[in-house]
Amino acid sequence: MSILIRNGYVVYGENPEIVKADVLIEGNRIVEVKKGINESADTVIDATGKVVSPGFVNLHTHSPMGLLRGLADDLPLMEWLEKHIWPREAKLTREHIKVGAYLGALEMIKTGTTTFLDMYFQMDAVAEATLEAGLRGYLSYGMIDLGDPERTEKEIKEALREMNAIESLNSERVHFVFGPHAPYTCSLALLKEVRKLADEHGKLITIHVAETMAELGKIQERYGKSPVVLLDEIGFFGSDVIIAHGVWLDSRDVSILARNGVTVAHNPGSNMKLASGVMPLQRLLNAGVNVGLGTDGSASNNNLDMVEEMKLAALLHKVHNLDPTVADARTVFKMATVNGAKALRLNAGVIKPGYLADVVIFDFNRPHLRPVHDIVSHIVYSANGNDVETTIVDGKVLMLDREVLTLDEEKILNRAEEVARELS
């Protein structure tokens, strides 16, 4: 199948520039970007007055947690987790989680996310929903053993079961990722085994690291060092590791991350809402660390809108540094697109011939997006996810003119309400 997007303003290349052009997609690849493409195509989309952008890569989330959106807000992280979130999660069935995955997929399609890195449990159910939705999902089972050797063995077995179940789906759009939850919830034995298994199976690793001062204190008390130093000393890090948050990092930590080629997934909305702190973005970028962008779960954000997340990232670091030049629009846009794709070793996040056809179209025919002085600036500072009208993943149209074609929106919304009542 082929798609021709005509007459749009295209956010083109790795260092995004704006060109007025057509975009031709054949199969799952972008094959041509230029004015006046005369090829015939199976689907032709008129993008006059609209902006054609790379789809967004949500580099850290817990997509089924949309079921817990708005539950016990305005609390510190550990109180929120231990007293409210974990007790509800203990009630979740596989069917509940699949409903939550459908809800998350629906929200992501409608706000322009084309790829996401997820951590939860029953990830084979999330994989099934992701395939049906048409998104790209990098899915990790959140492993927690709390230092119990029996539980360590059980968690490893479950992770391998999840890996085999996801791989049996035989899809290029859905991948398993190892996901030990965090250094404070995982034993060193589990973390070392994950490193070994990731090498053995050629899988990525994602883990929460240095999210809060409380976590920092726990690790310091237990091991006498920072979480980053701890993980480095046990040989955990590599260019296949994506750490979520990385808020509390000193200069030694930053150097370790840079040296090992680790990616940091920044989650400004969640970090602000939970009062976790401000990640040292400029120091990480100056050190050459790859930084992507994530929403975290929609129970701590409280949405999966990557367009909104870009604005939060830009504004947070400007005011924190008292410097309006920090986290400029193009830097943040790249965090949400090409940087996230790089972390996942995915040939996406860029509109250019040869790249995967993961593309979204913004409707700029709206008062809050006119007049158009700088399109990338408008996407970061003026737009929101609801301005996305078309979402294309792997060369397939998932949403056209705001209508999702792959999922039954009304059915998903109604079932999500039912599940929320079942969990109360």
Coordinates of all heavy atoms in Angstrom, one line a residue, residues 18 24 41 44 134 196 201 252 266 303 349 385:
I18 N 11.9 23.2 8.0 CA 10.5 23.2 7.5 C 10.6 23.4 6.0 O 11.2 24.3 5.5 CB 9.7 24.3 8.1 CG1 9.7 24.2 9.6 CG2 8.2 24.2 7.5 CD1 9.2 22.9 10.2
L24 N 5.8 10.8 0.1 CA 5.4 9.6 -0.5 C 5.8 8.4 0.4 O 7.0 8.3 0.7 CB 5.9 9.4 -1.9 CG 5.5 8.1 -2.6 CD1 3.9 8.0 -2.8 CD2 6.2 7.9 -4.0
A41 N -1.1 6.9 -5.8 CA -1.0 6.3 -4.5 C -2.4 5.7 -4.1 O -3.4 6.2 -4.6 CB -0.5 7.2 -3.4
V44 N -4.5 9.2 -0.8 CA -4.0 10.5 -1.0 C -4.6 11.4 0.1 O -5.8 11.4 0.3 CB -4.3 11.1 -2.4 CG1 -3.8 12.5 -2.5 CG2 -3.7 10.2 -3.5
G134 N -2.3 -0.8 16.3 CA -1.4 -0.5 15.2 C -0.1 0.3 15.6 O 0.6 0.8 14.7
K196 N 22.8 -10.1 32.3 CA 23.2 -11.3 31.6 C 22.2 -11.7 30.6 O 22.5 -12.1 29.5 CB 23.4 -12.4 32.7 CG 23.8 -13.8 32.1 CD 23.9 -14.8 33.2 CE 24.1 -16.2 32.6 NZ 24.0 -17.2 33.7
H201 N 20.0 -12.5 25.1 CA 18.8 -12.4 24.2 C 18.8 -11.2 23.3 O 17.9 -11.1 22.4 CB 17.5 -12.5 25.0 CG 17.3 -13.8 25.7 ND1 16.9 -14.9 25.0 CD2 17.5 -14.1 27.0 CE1 16.8 -15.9 25.9 NE2 17.2 -15.5 27.1
R252 N 29.5 13.1 38.9 CA 30.0 11.8 38.7 C 29.0 10.9 38.0 O 29.3 10.1 37.0 CB 30.4 11.2 40.0 CG 31.1 9.8 39.8 CD 31.5 9.2 41.2 NE 32.1 7.9 41.0 CZ 32.4 7.1 42.0 NH1 32.1 7.4 43.3 NH2 32.9 5.9 41.8
H266 N 13.4 11.5 30.2 CA 12.9 12.7 31.0 C 11.4 12.7 31.1 O 10.7 12.6 30.1 CB 13.5 14.0 30.4 CG 13.2 15.2 31.2 ND1 13.0 15.2 32.6 CD2 13.0 16.5 30.8 CE1 12.7 16.4 33.0 NE2 12.7 17.2 31.9
N303 N -1.9 12.5 31.8 CA -2.2 12.1 30.5 C -1.0 11.6 29.7 O 0.1 11.6 30.3 CB -2.9 13.2 29.7 CG -2.0 14.4 29.5 OD1 -0.9 14.3 29.1 ND2 -2.5 15.6 29.8
G349 N 11.4 8.6 13.8 CA 11.6 9.9 14.5 C 12.0 11.0 13.6 O 12.3 12.1 14.0
G385 N -2.0 17.8 21.9 CA -2.2 16.6 21.2 C -3.5 16.5 20.4 O -3.6 15.8 19.4

